[in-house]
Amino acid sequence: MSILKIEGLTKVFGGLTAVSNLNISIPQGRIYGLIGPNGAGKTTVFNMITGIYQPTRGIVEAEGKSLAGLKPNQIAQAGVARTFQNLRLFKKLTALENIIIAGQYNTKYNLVTAVLQNRAFKEEEKRLRQEALQLLDLVGLSEYAEYKASNLPYGHQRRLEIARALALKPKILLLDEPAAGMNPEESLALMGFIRDIKDKFGLTILLIEHHMEIVMGICEHIVVLNFGVEIAHGSPEEIQNNSEVITAYLGEVEKDDAAS
Amino acid sequence: MGYLLGIMTLICCNIIVVIGLSLLTGFTGIFSFGHAAYMAIGAYSAAILTTKLGVPFVLALIVAVMIAALAGRLIGIPTLKLVGDYFAIAMLGLGETVRLLLDNGGKLTGGARGFGNIPGKTAFPIAFVIMVFSVIVMRNIIGSRYGRCFLAIREDELAAECCGIDTYGLKKTSLTISAAFGGLGGALFAHYITYIQPIMFDMAKSTEIAAAVVFGGLGSLSGSIIASIILIGIPEVLRPLYQWRLVFYGLLLVGTIVLRPQGLMGGREFTIQGLKNAAQWVQEKIPGRGKGEKR
Ligand SMILES: Nc1ncnc2c1ncn2[C@@H]1O[C@H](COP(=O)(O)OP(=O)(O)OP(=O)(O)O)[C@@H](O)[C@H]1O
Ligand SMILES: [Mg+2]
């Protein structure tokens, strides 16, 4: 059974069909890749899954339950966490605070007990802090706990954003270009990191990435979008040898050459 | 001495209002240039309760806070769906609307001529104790998960939403608390000054409150408190220049934004160690003034 199911997903912006009739079905515990040239509609798919955009048509189901009509915060609490293409950390807050914020949605105290600072409040705060410290330790950022997020090295910021998503205790993790701006060495480390957290947290992952060595290296199945339409799907080998995919990407390379 | 005590009482009332707006603007990132409206709502509610209905002072304070909080909540429902500057504009409109309503409130509010004979219940010790109590309550809120949610919203609303935070709900909470503090400050103020007029809660007052928050540094409770003391205290001492206060606040706002956008405290809290560091910084800066201009 698939843990994340997308059926006939479509998004139209004015006259532009950014995503057209997309179907993806991910079984529990897998890493799927979503690739395609710039503007293909990949991020739009994530925005529809996480409730930021209302799909024009189609359905998204997580663990068999429809996510239709849920607000992004409800979807996050329902076990679908994400990262952003252009890092969206809480920049002026510490790494630890970034994690605590995502981990605190089911805290058992209210405004009155927060003001009174009773036992329950103190215990919950202690628990939140400990859990966050543990998570930071797990992703290798514990020495940065008290650093402002914006003062972390770039690669660590990416890692922190993933850790923040993990603090939501998700079942499904959506990663939008986690290796963007990384050098090959950092990308390699990231690859190991993603595999690692997948096993430790029992995650199912959908990954958008332009770095092909990462996509081919860790994804078990890949879906290719071009102009919002799926042009291919299959194993990394199948995708690498697919002529339509090669043409779509070659077209982009030519465009890039012309631009530079 | 009585005069100084009076100014200190006034400062206490204003600190409560300013830390209320500090929560909304400094910690939640929502600007409001109509916050005197909540102060007015608190002031008039409490004044009507004690003066016309003979309600005991403390009870009147509590009810006035609840009315102001409710007003904030209700006003937040439609306006907090607006993004960014539109909310600030809506609050500007609210400020003027409340003032006009009070102007035309007939016998109930005394209209433009004002509302007098309010019992002078806000003695300095009372104002001071309530102010300290308010600061502690606010500090505890900010230190809790609510405070962290507010900060997350300020930093990145979309990311906050994707971290499981009901941003709309929490923005309403922030405005409600903020309005409650405004109402409390207003109610105390009415019972100190014993005579209130709608004009006391005009745009200039709203600007003054916002200026204190920005000047103190967004996201610093102690900064808001220090700024209140400076901003409320100085104009009181310089009463003769009273008409110029809007110019003064305007210059201060623009000056802060241009010269020190992080405000007096720059989002940090006041600590003894911080004071030592600042003293050192000043000592280093003064002899070689030219160096400081580099920025
Ligand atoms: N809110 C929006 N309003 C209008 N058009 C949009 C909106 N969001 C995305 N689009 C358009 O939809 C198309 C797909 O955008 P999307 O960001 O999903 O692409 P992408 O595959 O993530 O590209 P990239 O690799 O550059 O991140 C683009 O043409 C984009 O301009
Ligand atoms: Mg994208």
Side-chain angles (χ1 to χ4, degrees):
Chain A
M1 207 202 89
S2 57
I3 188 166
L4 182 69
K5 194 163 107 187
I6 292 169
E7 252 179 38
L9 201 64
T10 302
K11 182 72 196 179
V12 180
F13 293 113
L16 174 89
T17 306
V19 176
S20 176
N21 199 24
L22 183 69
N23 301 305
I24 304 177
S25 196
I26 313 182
Q28 151 78 34
R30 299 291 175 81
I31 303 187
Y32 272 36
L34 182 60
I35 65 170
N38 289 110
K42 306 178 295 292
T43 299
T44 305
V45 172
F46 274 20
N47 285 341
M48 285 191 280
I49 297 174
T50 52
I52 293 168
Y53 293 159
Q54 247 12 77
T56 310
R57 273 188 301 284
I59 57 159
V60 180
E61 277 178 17
E63 298 184 276
K65 283 188 291 262
S66 166
L67 300 182
L70 294 186
K71 292 200 289 172
N73 74 78
Q74 296 167 319
I75 292 173
Q77 294 188 21
V80 184
R82 72 172 289 178
T83 64
F84 296 89
Q85 185 169 351
N86 308 303
L87 277 174
R88 298 189 83 126
L89 285 168
F90 306 126
K91 288 201 191 75
K92 285 190 195 152
L93 309 186
T94 65
L96 187 65
E97 284 169 324
N98 269 270
I99 304 283
I100 294 179
I101 285 167
Q104 67 183 4
Y105 61 91
N106 56 2
T107 312
K108 287 173 199 65
Y109 66 77
N110 60 27
L111 200 54
V112 176
T113 45
V115 168
L116 299 176
Q117 302 208 326
N118 65 356
R119 270 252 314 274
F121 167 84
K122 285 188 181 137
E123 274 167 15
E124 280 290 88
E125 283 293 302
K126 208 169 120 193
R127 177 183 67 84
L128 284 172
R129 207 183 142 81
Q130 274 168 353
E131 283 183 7
L133 282 169
Q134 265 171 17
L135 186 55
L136 276 177
D137 198 31
L138 224 95
V139 301
L141 291 176
S142 45
E143 60 187 298
Y144 295 98
E146 299 301 336
Y147 277 54
K148 257 192 203 170
S150 58
N151 290 345
L152 257 57
Y154 178 75
H156 288 2
Q157 291 192 24
R158 285 266 168 208
R159 201 172 270 230
L160 178 62
E161 205 193 25
I162 297 174
R164 187 180 69 181
L166 293 176
L168 283 157
K169 304 196 177 74
K171 301 260 169 41
I172 300 162
L173 181 61
L174 312 176
L175 300 171
D176 196 346
E177 300 197 23
M182 286 188 176
N183 61 34
E185 215 172 298
E186 288 171 317
S187 311
L188 205 69
L190 183 80
M191 225 161 89
F193 175 68
I194 294 173
R195 272 210 202 95
D196 218 39
I197 55 166
K198 189 205 124 202
D199 293 338
K200 272 188 191 139
F201 293 84
L203 298 168
T204 303
I205 296 177
L206 181 58
L207 172 82
I208 297 177
E209 195 42 78
H210 281 300
H211 287 62
M212 280 310 137
E213 66 282 7
I214 291 190
V215 181
M216 297 302 163
I218 57 173
C219 295
E220 293 146 312
H221 188 94
I222 296 166
V223 176
V224 190
L225 281 185
N226 195 19
F227 295 114
V229 182
E230 184 201 295
I231 55 170
H233 67 95
S235 68
E237 296 77 38
E238 286 165 352
I239 296 303
Q240 269 166 321
N241 299 319
N242 184 303
S243 60
E244 213 172 329
V245 176
I246 295 169
T247 321
Y249 272 92
L250 277 182
E252 195 187 34
V253 172
E254 275 162 14
K255 257 189 291 164
D256 284 357
D257 285 349
S260 59
Chain B
M1 189 62 204
Y3 176 63
L4 197 66
L5 220 52
I7 292 179
M8 279 158 60
T9 311
L10 210 55
I11 288 174
C12 288
C13 301
N14 278 283
I15 285 176
I16 298 170
V17 180
V18 171
I19 61 171
L21 183 63
S22 187
L23 182 76
L24 188 70
T25 301
F27 288 87
T28 322
I30 302 171
F31 281 83
S32 160
F33 293 101
H35 226 62
Y38 301 109
M39 202 180 169
I41 291 170
Y44 275 85
S45 306
I48 291 168
L49 285 168
T50 53
T51 316
K52 299 216 156 145
L53 304 172
V55 174
F57 177 54
V58 174
L59 186 61
L61 284 185
I62 294 168
V63 176
V65 166
M66 282 162 51
I67 293 174
L70 185 69
R73 186 97 197 158
L74 294 178
I75 288 158
I77 290 170
T79 54
L80 285 170
K81 291 213 162 126
L82 303 171
V83 280
D85 301 341
Y86 294 104
F87 177 83
I89 294 166
M91 288 304 106
L92 202 68
L94 168 79
E96 287 305 283
T97 309
V98 168
R99 195 175 60 78
L100 283 172
L101 284 175
L102 295 172
D103 258 344
N104 298 295
K107 279 224 179 79
L108 189 64
T109 66
R113 274 181 301 129
F115 188 118
N117 296 323
I118 304 168
K121 296 274 189 188
T122 309
F124 174 70
I126 292 175
F128 185 76
V129 168
I130 296 181
M131 183 274 287
V132 170
F133 170 78
S134 304
V135 171
I136 292 171
V137 168
M138 189 58 94
R139 193 204 59 186
N140 289 359
I141 291 174
I142 288 167
S144 75
R145 80 174 150 114
Y146 293 91
R148 285 190 298 266
C149 285
F150 298 148
L151 286 169
I153 293 170
R154 181 191 78 183
E155 291 296 302
D156 191 324
E157 195 169 336
L158 185 71
E161 185 77 30
C162 289
C163 285
I165 296 173
D166 171 14
T167 55
Y168 175 56
L170 273 142
K171 286 196 300 188
K172 281 189 289 187
T173 306
S174 178
L175 179 58
T176 306
I177 299 169
S178 181
F181 276 69
L184 178 59
L188 285 172
F189 169 74
H191 291 81
Y192 157 71
I193 207 102
T194 70
Y195 167 77
I196 51 178
Q197 258 184 311
I199 194 100
M200 291 170 172
F201 309 100
D202 61 355
M203 227 172 77
K205 184 68 197 176
S206 288
T207 312
E208 173 187 298
I209 302 166
V213 172
V214 174
F215 178 57
L218 298 181
S220 168
L221 199 57
S222 42
S224 292
I225 295 168
I226 296 165
S228 310
I229 297 170
I230 298 172
L231 285 193
I232 313 300
I234 290 176
E236 282 306 321
V237 177
L238 303 173
R239 261 287 163 188
L241 301 174
Y242 199 68
Q243 313 87 295
W244 293 93
R245 69 182 176 139
L246 247 192
V247 176
F248 173 68
Y249 295 138
L251 285 176
L252 194 79
L253 258 178
V254 174
T256 309
I257 289 164
V258 173
L259 297 173
R260 193 168 161 78
Q262 70 276 44
L264 208 55
M265 297 299 291
R268 283 184 296 273
E269 294 300 350
F270 179 83
T271 57
I272 299 300
Q273 184 57 44
L275 197 65
K276 284 182 190 154
N277 294 347
Q280 206 178 355
W281 183 83
V282 170
Q283 272 173 359
E284 282 167 10
K285 273 283 142 83
I286 285 174
R289 273 226 107 118
K291 271 189 284 177
E293 304 296 319
K294 250 194 323 224
R295 276 201 315 152

Coordinates of all heavy atoms in Angstrom, one line a residue, chain A residues 129-196:
Chain A
R129 N 13.0 20.8 25.2 CA 14.4 21.1 25.1 C 15.2 19.9 24.9 O 16.1 19.8 24.0 CB 14.8 21.9 26.3 CG 15.9 22.8 26.1 CD 16.3 23.5 27.4 NE 17.8 23.6 27.5 CZ 18.4 24.6 26.8 NH1 17.8 25.5 26.2 NH2 19.7 24.7 26.8
Q130 N 14.9 18.9 25.7 CA 15.7 17.6 25.6 C 15.5 17.0 24.3 O 16.5 16.5 23.7 CB 15.3 16.7 26.7 CG 16.1 17.0 28.0 CD 15.5 16.2 29.2 OE1 14.5 15.6 29.1 NE2 16.2 16.3 30.3
E131 N 14.3 16.9 23.8 CA 14.0 16.3 22.5 C 14.8 17.0 21.4 O 15.3 16.4 20.5 CB 12.5 16.2 22.2 CG 11.8 15.2 23.0 CD 10.3 15.1 22.7 OE1 9.9 15.8 21.7 OE2 9.6 14.4 23.4
A132 N 14.7 18.3 21.5 CA 15.4 19.1 20.5 C 16.9 18.9 20.5 O 17.5 18.8 19.4 CB 15.0 20.6 20.6
L133 N 17.4 18.9 21.7 CA 18.9 18.6 21.8 C 19.3 17.3 21.3 O 20.3 17.1 20.6 CB 19.3 18.8 23.3 CG 19.5 20.2 23.8 CD1 19.6 20.3 25.3 CD2 20.6 20.9 23.1
Q134 N 18.4 16.3 21.6 CA 18.7 14.9 21.0 C 18.7 15.0 19.5 O 19.6 14.4 18.9 CB 17.6 14.0 21.5 CG 17.9 13.2 22.7 CD 16.7 12.5 23.2 OE1 15.7 12.3 22.5 NE2 16.8 12.0 24.5
L135 N 17.7 15.6 19.0 CA 17.6 15.7 17.5 C 18.8 16.4 16.9 O 19.4 15.9 15.9 CB 16.3 16.4 17.1 CG 16.0 16.4 15.6 CD1 16.0 15.0 15.0 CD2 14.6 17.1 15.4
L136 N 19.2 17.5 17.5 CA 20.4 18.2 17.0 C 21.6 17.3 17.1 O 22.5 17.3 16.2 CB 20.7 19.5 17.9 CG 19.9 20.7 17.5 CD1 20.2 21.9 18.5 CD2 20.2 21.2 16.1
D137 N 21.7 16.5 18.1 CA 22.8 15.6 18.3 C 22.8 14.6 17.2 O 23.8 14.3 16.5 CB 22.7 14.9 19.7 CG 24.0 14.3 20.1 OD1 25.0 14.9 19.7 OD2 24.0 13.3 20.8
L138 N 21.6 14.1 16.9 CA 21.5 13.1 15.8 C 21.9 13.6 14.5 O 22.4 12.8 13.6 CB 20.0 12.7 15.8 CG 19.8 11.2 15.7 CD1 19.6 10.6 17.1 CD2 18.6 10.9 14.9
V139 N 21.7 14.9 14.2 CA 22.0 15.4 12.9 C 23.4 16.0 12.9 O 23.8 16.7 12.0 CB 21.0 16.4 12.3 CG1 19.6 15.7 12.2 CG2 20.9 17.6 13.2
G140 N 24.1 15.9 14.0 CA 25.5 16.4 14.1 C 25.6 17.9 14.3 O 26.6 18.5 13.8
L141 N 24.6 18.5 14.9 CA 24.6 20.0 15.0 C 24.6 20.4 16.5 O 24.4 21.6 16.8 CB 23.5 20.6 14.3 CG 23.4 20.6 12.8 CD1 22.1 21.2 12.2 CD2 24.6 21.3 12.2
S142 N 24.9 19.5 17.4 CA 24.7 19.8 18.8 C 25.6 21.0 19.2 O 25.2 21.8 20.1 CB 24.9 18.6 19.7 OG 26.0 17.9 19.3
E143 N 26.8 21.1 18.6 CA 27.7 22.2 19.1 C 27.2 23.5 18.6 O 27.6 24.6 19.1 CB 29.1 21.9 18.6 CG 29.2 21.9 17.1 CD 30.6 21.5 16.6 OE1 31.5 22.2 16.9 OE2 30.7 20.4 15.9
Y144 N 26.2 23.5 17.7 CA 25.7 24.8 17.2 C 24.3 25.2 17.8 O 23.7 26.1 17.4 CB 25.4 24.7 15.7 CG 26.7 24.5 14.9 CD1 27.1 23.3 14.5 CD2 27.5 25.6 14.6 CE1 28.3 23.1 13.7 CE2 28.7 25.5 13.9 CZ 29.1 24.2 13.5 OH 30.2 24.1 12.8
A145 N 23.9 24.4 18.9 CA 22.6 24.6 19.5 C 22.3 26.1 19.7 O 21.2 26.5 19.4 CB 22.5 23.8 20.7
E146 N 23.2 26.8 20.3 CA 22.9 28.2 20.7 C 23.3 29.2 19.6 O 23.3 30.4 19.8 CB 23.6 28.5 22.0 CG 23.2 27.6 23.2 CD 21.7 27.7 23.5 OE1 21.1 28.7 23.1 OE2 21.1 26.7 24.0
Y147 N 23.7 28.7 18.4 CA 24.1 29.7 17.3 C 22.8 30.2 16.7 O 21.8 29.4 16.6 CB 24.9 28.9 16.2 CG 26.3 28.8 16.5 CD1 26.8 28.3 17.7 CD2 27.2 29.2 15.5 CE1 28.2 28.1 17.9 CE2 28.6 29.1 15.7 CZ 29.1 28.5 16.9 OH 30.4 28.4 17.1
K148 N 22.8 31.4 16.3 CA 21.7 31.9 15.5 C 21.7 31.1 14.2 O 22.8 30.9 13.6 CB 21.9 33.4 15.1 CG 21.1 34.3 15.9 CD 21.2 35.7 15.3 CE 20.9 36.8 16.4 NZ 21.2 38.1 15.9
A149 N 20.5 30.8 13.7 CA 20.5 30.0 12.5 C 21.2 30.6 11.3 O 21.9 29.9 10.6 CB 19.0 29.7 12.1
S150 N 21.1 31.9 11.2 CA 21.8 32.6 10.1 C 23.3 32.6 10.2 O 24.0 32.9 9.2 CB 21.2 34.0 10.0 OG 21.5 34.7 11.2
N151 N 23.8 32.3 11.4 CA 25.3 32.3 11.5 C 25.9 30.9 11.3 O 27.1 30.8 11.3 CB 25.6 32.7 13.0 CG 25.4 34.2 13.1 OD1 25.2 35.0 12.2 ND2 25.4 34.7 14.4
L152 N 25.0 29.9 11.0 CA 25.6 28.6 10.7 C 26.1 28.6 9.3 O 25.7 29.3 8.4 CB 24.4 27.6 10.8 CG 24.3 26.7 12.0 CD1 24.2 27.5 13.3 CD2 23.1 25.8 11.9
P153 N 27.2 27.7 9.1 CA 27.6 27.6 7.7 C 26.5 27.1 6.8 O 25.6 26.4 7.3 CB 28.7 26.5 7.8 CG 29.1 26.4 9.3 CD 27.9 26.9 10.0
Y154 N 26.6 27.4 5.5 CA 25.4 27.1 4.7 C 25.0 25.7 4.7 O 23.8 25.4 4.8 CB 25.8 27.6 3.2 CG 24.7 27.3 2.2 CD1 23.6 28.1 2.2 CD2 24.8 26.2 1.4 CE1 22.6 27.8 1.3 CE2 23.8 25.9 0.4 CZ 22.7 26.7 0.4 OH 21.7 26.4 -0.5
G155 N 25.9 24.8 4.6 CA 25.6 23.4 4.5 C 24.9 22.9 5.8 O 23.9 22.1 5.8
H156 N 25.3 23.5 6.9 CA 24.6 23.2 8.2 C 23.2 23.8 8.3 O 22.4 23.2 8.9 CB 25.5 23.7 9.4 CG 26.7 22.9 9.6 ND1 27.1 21.9 8.8 CD2 27.7 23.1 10.5 CE1 28.2 21.4 9.2 NE2 28.6 22.1 10.3
Q157 N 23.0 24.9 7.6 CA 21.7 25.5 7.6 C 20.7 24.6 6.9 O 19.6 24.3 7.3 CB 21.7 26.9 6.9 CG 22.4 27.9 7.7 CD 22.2 29.3 7.1 OE1 21.2 29.6 6.5 NE2 23.1 30.2 7.4
R158 N 21.2 24.0 5.8 CA 20.4 23.0 5.0 C 20.0 21.8 6.0 O 18.9 21.4 6.0 CB 21.2 22.5 3.8 CG 21.2 23.5 2.7 CD 20.1 23.2 1.7 NE 19.9 24.3 0.7 CZ 18.8 24.6 0.2 NH1 17.7 23.9 0.4 NH2 18.7 25.6 -0.7
R159 N 21.0 21.4 6.7 CA 20.8 20.3 7.6 C 19.9 20.6 8.7 O 19.0 19.8 9.1 CB 22.2 19.9 8.1 CG 22.3 18.5 8.7 CD 23.8 18.2 9.0 NE 24.5 17.7 7.9 CZ 25.2 16.5 8.0 NH1 25.3 16.0 9.1 NH2 25.8 16.1 6.9
L160 N 20.0 21.8 9.2 CA 19.1 22.3 10.3 C 17.7 22.3 9.8 O 16.8 22.0 10.5 CB 19.6 23.7 10.8 CG 18.7 24.3 11.9 CD1 18.7 23.4 13.1 CD2 19.2 25.7 12.2
E161 N 17.5 22.8 8.6 CA 16.1 22.8 8.0 C 15.5 21.4 7.9 O 14.3 21.2 8.2 CB 16.1 23.5 6.7 CG 14.7 24.1 6.4 CD 14.5 24.6 5.0 OE1 15.1 24.0 4.1 OE2 13.6 25.5 4.8
I162 N 16.3 20.5 7.6 CA 15.9 19.1 7.5 C 15.5 18.6 9.0 O 14.5 18.0 9.2 CB 16.9 18.1 6.9 CG1 17.1 18.6 5.4 CG2 16.4 16.7 6.9 CD1 18.2 17.8 4.7
A163 N 16.4 18.9 9.9 CA 16.2 18.6 11.3 C 14.9 19.2 11.8 O 14.2 18.5 12.5 CB 17.4 19.0 12.1
R164 N 14.7 20.4 11.4 CA 13.4 21.1 11.9 C 12.2 20.3 11.3 O 11.2 20.1 12.1 CB 13.4 22.5 11.4 CG 12.3 23.3 11.9 CD 12.3 24.8 11.4 NE 12.0 24.8 9.9 CZ 12.0 25.9 9.2 NH1 12.2 27.1 9.8 NH2 11.7 25.9 8.0
A165 N 12.3 19.9 10.1 CA 11.2 19.1 9.5 C 11.0 17.8 10.3 O 9.9 17.3 10.6 CB 11.4 18.8 8.1
L166 N 12.2 17.2 10.7 CA 12.1 15.9 11.5 C 11.5 16.1 12.9 O 10.9 15.2 13.4 CB 13.5 15.3 11.6 CG 14.2 14.9 10.4 CD1 15.6 14.4 10.6 CD2 13.4 13.7 9.7
A167 N 11.6 17.3 13.4 CA 11.1 17.6 14.7 C 9.6 17.4 14.7 O 9.0 17.2 15.8 CB 11.5 19.0 15.2
L168 N 9.0 17.5 13.6 CA 7.5 17.3 13.5 C 7.1 15.9 13.6 O 6.0 15.5 13.6 CB 7.0 17.9 12.2 CG 6.9 19.4 12.1 CD1 6.9 19.9 10.6 CD2 5.6 19.9 12.7
K169 N 8.1 15.0 13.7 CA 7.9 13.5 13.7 C 7.1 13.1 12.5 O 6.0 12.4 12.7 CB 7.3 13.1 15.0 CG 8.0 13.6 16.3 CD 7.6 12.8 17.5 CE 8.4 13.2 18.7 NZ 8.0 14.5 19.2
P170 N 7.6 13.4 11.3 CA 6.7 13.1 10.1 C 6.9 11.6 9.7 O 7.8 10.9 10.1 CB 7.4 14.0 9.1 CG 8.8 14.1 9.5 CD 8.8 14.1 11.0
K171 N 5.9 11.2 8.9 CA 6.0 9.9 8.2 C 6.6 10.1 6.9 O 7.3 9.3 6.3 CB 4.6 9.3 8.1 CG 3.9 9.1 9.5 CD 4.1 7.6 9.9 CE 3.6 7.4 11.3 NZ 2.4 8.1 11.7
I172 N 6.2 11.3 6.3 CA 6.6 11.6 4.9 C 7.4 12.9 4.9 O 7.0 13.9 5.5 CB 5.3 11.8 4.1 CG1 4.5 10.5 4.1 CG2 5.7 12.2 2.6 CD1 3.1 10.7 3.6
L173 N 8.5 12.8 4.2 CA 9.4 14.0 4.2 C 9.6 14.5 2.8 O 9.9 13.6 1.9 CB 10.8 13.7 4.8 CG 11.8 14.8 4.9 CD1 11.3 16.0 5.7 CD2 13.1 14.3 5.5
L174 N 9.3 15.7 2.5 CA 9.5 16.3 1.2 C 10.7 17.2 1.2 O 10.7 18.2 1.9 CB 8.2 17.1 0.8 CG 6.8 16.4 1.0 CD1 5.7 17.4 0.6 CD2 6.7 15.1 0.1
L175 N 11.7 16.9 0.4 CA 12.9 17.7 0.3 C 13.0 18.4 -1.0 O 13.1 17.8 -2.0 CB 14.1 16.8 0.5 CG 14.2 16.0 1.9 CD1 15.3 15.0 1.8 CD2 14.3 17.0 3.0
D176 N 13.0 19.8 -1.0 CA 13.0 20.5 -2.2 C 14.5 21.0 -2.4 O 14.9 22.0 -1.8 CB 12.1 21.7 -2.1 CG 11.8 22.3 -3.5 OD1 12.5 22.0 -4.4 OD2 10.8 23.1 -3.6
E177 N 15.2 20.4 -3.3 CA 16.5 20.7 -3.6 C 17.4 20.9 -2.4 O 18.0 22.0 -2.2 CB 16.6 22.0 -4.5 CG 15.8 21.7 -5.8 CD 16.1 22.8 -6.9 OE1 17.2 23.4 -6.8 OE2 15.3 22.9 -7.8
P178 N 17.6 19.8 -1.6 CA 18.4 20.0 -0.4 C 19.9 20.2 -0.7 O 20.6 20.8 0.1 CB 18.2 18.6 0.3 CG 17.8 17.7 -0.7 CD 17.0 18.5 -1.7
A179 N 20.3 19.9 -1.9 CA 21.8 20.0 -2.2 C 22.0 21.3 -3.0 O 23.2 21.5 -3.4 CB 22.3 18.8 -3.0
A180 N 21.0 22.1 -3.1 CA 21.2 23.4 -3.9 C 22.3 24.2 -3.3 O 22.4 24.4 -2.1 CB 19.9 24.2 -3.9
G181 N 23.2 24.7 -4.1 CA 24.3 25.5 -3.6 C 25.5 24.7 -2.9 O 26.3 25.3 -2.3
M182 N 25.4 23.4 -3.0 CA 26.5 22.6 -2.3 C 27.5 22.1 -3.3 O 27.2 21.9 -4.5 CB 25.9 21.4 -1.6 CG 25.1 21.7 -0.4 SD 24.6 20.2 0.4 CE 23.9 20.8 1.9
N183 N 28.7 22.0 -2.9 CA 29.8 21.4 -3.8 C 29.6 19.9 -3.7 O 28.9 19.3 -2.9 CB 31.1 21.9 -3.3 CG 31.5 21.5 -1.9 OD1 31.1 20.4 -1.5 ND2 32.2 22.4 -1.2
P184 N 30.3 19.2 -4.7 CA 30.1 17.8 -4.8 C 30.4 17.0 -3.5 O 29.7 16.1 -3.1 CB 31.2 17.4 -5.9 CG 31.4 18.6 -6.7 CD 31.2 19.8 -5.7
E185 N 31.4 17.5 -2.8 CA 31.7 16.9 -1.5 C 30.6 16.9 -0.5 O 30.2 16.0 0.1 CB 32.9 17.6 -0.9 CG 33.9 16.8 -0.2 CD 35.1 17.6 0.2 OE1 35.8 18.1 -0.8 OE2 35.4 17.8 1.3
E186 N 30.1 18.2 -0.4 CA 28.9 18.4 0.6 C 27.7 17.6 0.1 O 27.0 17.0 0.9 CB 28.6 19.9 0.6 CG 29.6 20.7 1.3 CD 29.3 22.2 1.2 OE1 29.0 22.7 0.1 OE2 29.4 22.9 2.2
S187 N 27.5 17.5 -1.2 CA 26.4 16.8 -1.7 C 26.5 15.3 -1.4 O 25.5 14.7 -1.0 CB 26.3 16.8 -3.3 OG 26.4 18.1 -3.7
L188 N 27.7 14.8 -1.5 CA 27.9 13.4 -1.1 C 27.6 13.1 0.3 O 26.9 12.1 0.7 CB 29.4 13.0 -1.4 CG 29.7 11.6 -1.7 CD1 29.1 11.2 -3.0 CD2 31.2 11.3 -1.7
A189 N 28.0 14.0 1.2 CA 27.7 13.9 2.6 C 26.2 14.0 2.9 O 25.7 13.2 3.7 CB 28.5 15.0 3.4
L190 N 25.6 14.8 2.1 CA 24.1 15.0 2.3 C 23.4 13.7 1.9 O 22.4 13.3 2.6 CB 23.6 16.2 1.4 CG 22.2 16.5 1.6 CD1 21.9 17.3 2.8 CD2 21.6 17.2 0.4
M191 N 23.9 13.1 0.9 CA 23.3 11.8 0.4 C 23.3 10.8 1.5 O 22.3 10.2 1.8 CB 24.1 11.3 -0.8 CG 23.3 10.8 -1.9 SD 24.3 10.8 -3.4 CE 24.9 9.1 -3.3
G192 N 24.5 10.7 2.1 CA 24.6 9.7 3.2 C 23.6 10.1 4.4 O 22.9 9.2 5.0
F193 N 23.5 11.4 4.6 CA 22.7 11.9 5.7 C 21.2 11.6 5.4 O 20.5 11.1 6.3 CB 22.9 13.4 5.8 CG 22.0 14.1 6.8 CD1 22.1 13.9 8.1 CD2 21.0 15.0 6.3 CE1 21.3 14.5 9.0 CE2 20.2 15.6 7.2 CZ 20.3 15.4 8.6
I194 N 20.8 11.8 4.2 CA 19.4 11.5 3.9 C 19.1 10.0 4.0 O 18.0 9.6 4.6 CB 19.0 12.0 2.4 CG1 19.1 13.5 2.3 CG2 17.6 11.5 2.0 CD1 19.0 14.0 0.9
R195 N 20.0 9.2 3.6 CA 19.8 7.7 3.8 C 19.7 7.4 5.2 O 18.8 6.6 5.7 CB 21.0 7.0 3.2 CG 20.8 6.6 1.7 CD 21.6 5.4 1.4 NE 21.9 5.3 0.0 CZ 23.0 5.7 -0.5 NH1 24.0 6.2 0.2 NH2 23.2 5.7 -1.8
D196 N 20.6 8.0 6.0 CA 20.6 7.8 7.4 C 19.3 8.1 8.1 O 18.8 7.3 8.9 CB 21.7 8.7 7.9 CG 22.5 8.1 9.0 OD1 22.8 6.9 8.9 OD2 22.9 8.8 10.0

